[in-house]
Amino acid sequence: MKRILAVMSLLALAACGADGEPIQPSMNANVGLGSNGVSGSTGVDFVSGRVTMGVGVGL
């Protein structure tokens, strides 16, 4: 879990645009309740023009 958070943090930092126009990342989180219990997921999306890159993890 720590590795995933470290990678997501590095991606968010890299997407801020050190060379050129800054890219604003957006984060989303979901929590669900079903017959199998509680589930959750989180992700970060980076949009640059017509290109979108997303990174996420489900728990």
Side-chain angles (χ1 to χ4, degrees), residues 4-59:
I4 293 171
L5 291 175
V7 169
M8 288 177 64
S9 298
L10 287 174
L11 286 173
L13 180 62
C16 288
D19 183 27
E21 206 52 45
I23 298 173
Q24 183 73 28
S26 63
M27 183 176 176
N28 55 50
N30 297 311
V31 177
L33 179 61
S35 60
N36 293 331
V38 178
S39 63
S41 65
T42 186
V44 178
D45 294 326
F46 308 100
V47 179
S48 177
R50 295 188 303 186
V51 178
T52 302
M53 181 181 136
V55 178
V57 63
L59 304 170

